[in-house]
Amino acid sequence: MEENKIINKLLEMDDRLQNIETSILTKEDGRKITETLDHVVKMVGRLDQERIFTTEWVKRIERESESQRQEIFKIKQALNIS
């Protein structure tokens, strides 16, 4: 009777160990996660750089547009238009 309890407990522990082994993160899994995160970091870095360049481009266009508005206003005043 005592032997059956020990055998049952060993079988239970073996099942639990197998469950732990299947749920544990392997080195290959960790490597894949790291590679994926590296790609994400690179993409975010590129997007951040692109955002900075785009913001500067928009500011430059706005300055040029304002300068042109001022020139048009001066021309209209010189021609007595509007």
Side-chain angles (χ1 to χ4, degrees):
M1 187 76 160
E2 188 68 28
E3 291 176 3
N4 285 340
K5 285 184 178 181
I6 294 172
I7 290 172
N8 286 338
K9 194 64 169 176
L10 283 173
L11 290 173
E12 180 186 327
M13 296 302 255
D14 187 50
D15 286 341
R16 290 179 67 190
L17 182 60
Q18 286 178 352
N19 288 338
I20 291 170
E21 286 176 346
T22 57
S23 65
I24 199 165
L25 180 71
T26 64
K27 287 183 181 180
E28 183 60 30
D29 293 336
R31 204 172 295 121
K32 287 179 183 178
I33 290 171
T34 302
E35 287 176 9
T36 302
L37 289 175
D38 285 343
H39 290 301
V40 170
V41 168
K42 287 177 185 176
M43 288 186 337
V44 169
R46 286 188 205 125
L47 287 173
D48 191 44
Q49 289 177 350
E50 184 176 324
R51 180 189 56 83
I52 291 168
F53 289 124
T54 302
T55 302
E56 289 303 314
W57 179 64
V58 168
K59 287 179 183 178
R60 187 178 72 244
I61 297 296
E62 287 175 342
R63 284 191 302 268
E64 289 176 6
S65 175
E66 184 59 34
S67 173
Q68 290 172 353
R69 279 191 196 113
Q70 290 173 358
E71 284 185 47
I72 290 171
F73 180 74
K74 290 176 184 177
I75 292 170
K76 283 182 176 182
Q77 281 185 332
L79 296 175
N80 290 325
I81 301 173
S82 108

